[in-house]
Amino acid sequence: MVLIEAKSLSVGQRVNSVSLSLNKGEVLGLLGPNGAGKSTLLNALAGLEKKSGSLLVDGQDDATLTPNSRARFIGLLPQSMQSTWSLSVTDIVSLGRIPWGDRDSEAINMALSRAQIECFIDRKVDELSGGERARVWLARVLAGQPKVLLADEPIASLDIHYQLSVMNVLRAYAQEGHGVVVAMHDLSLAARYCDRVCLMNKGELVALGNPQEVLTEPLLSSVYQVPVDVDLQRTPPVILPR
């Protein structure tokens, strides 16, 4: 089942004619150097960018969706977030239920558990470290139980323990019948967790396919402009610059 499908999607000069789809149960990785257009593409998929081309959400033209129905179906975790007010962790996570108009305690508690933040639910968000806050914002999106979760570099500020933890959460969320699109820079983790990867550069789609098809030494070395060693036979896979 296809959850979202973009055809020739363009956003000004930042993203040029990108076509991709996200299937139920799938983790799709967005890869590419800084400025490749990954964040812009995620925002376009979430309906936050003026765009051209076609975007179908659950088989419907996204232009026909109400803001509320879109927010129920698609959850976006931006690259950086902050709270203007000194709210508790529980209050922040509860905001994820706004599209549904409730404070479903089961959904909120599940999100807190998945993000492993139950130990500081009563603390204020501005008292937490950057990595702790990142997990709080993830829990907020999970509380909304979207069919599609778009995550923009969700592991960028985390130590290696929580990098693996968050990727495991995203992997499990997809396997429960949702879809996840995750922008990331760690190529080894992308090879380990993503069913398919979309390699971008300068707003263009360079390659789209499974990790074995896309994460090759010639392609990565060309896009990143450095020699790259790729070992996808190792468990877990390893991709490093030379």
Side-chain angles (χ1 to χ4, degrees), residues 16 18 159 216:
N16 182 30
V18 170
D159 62 41
T216 66

Side-chain angles (χ1 to χ4, degrees), residues 97-186:
R97 298 301 304 172
I98 287 177
W100 299 96
D102 63 32
R103 287 177 65 97
D104 186 322
S105 59
E106 183 177 351
I108 292 168
N109 290 334
M110 179 65 73
L112 292 167
S113 174
R114 280 176 161 163
Q116 299 181 33
I117 57 174
E118 310 104 303
C119 58
F120 44 81
I121 58 175
D122 295 322
R123 292 175 60 186
K124 301 296 185 182
V125 69
D126 55 356
E127 298 172 353
L128 304 178
S129 70
E132 290 169 339
R133 286 197 298 271
R135 285 150 52 206
V136 171
W137 297 120
L138 171 62
R140 184 192 66 83
V141 178
L142 291 171
Q145 300 174 312
K147 287 293 184 182
V148 172
L149 197 163
L150 309 176
D152 194 354
E153 297 190 32
I155 60 174
S157 61
L158 303 179
D159 62 41
I160 56 176
H161 171 82
Y162 284 112
Q163 286 181 5
L164 295 177
S165 175
V166 166
M167 292 307 299
N168 283 328
V169 168
L170 297 179
R171 174 76 267 170
Y173 194 71
Q175 290 174 336
E176 291 169 6
H178 307 99
V180 173
V181 184
V182 53
M184 56 195 304
H185 284 295
D186 192 312

Side-chain angles (χ1 to χ4, degrees), residues 46-100:
L48 301 179
E49 292 276 2
K50 186 177 180 180
K51 56 190 178 294
S52 60
S54 169
L55 178 62
L56 298 180
V57 176
D58 198 23
Q60 296 180 263
D61 185 336
D62 86 309
T64 67
L65 298 175
T66 66
N68 208 46
S69 61
R70 185 195 303 274
R72 290 183 177 188
F73 196 85
I74 299 176
L76 174 65
L77 177 62
Q79 194 172 129
S80 61
M81 294 185 68
Q82 60 182 7
S83 175
T84 304
W85 300 280
S86 183
L87 299 176
S88 72
V89 168
T90 301
D91 286 338
I92 291 287
V93 176
S94 298
L95 294 175
R97 298 301 304 172
I98 287 177
W100 299 96

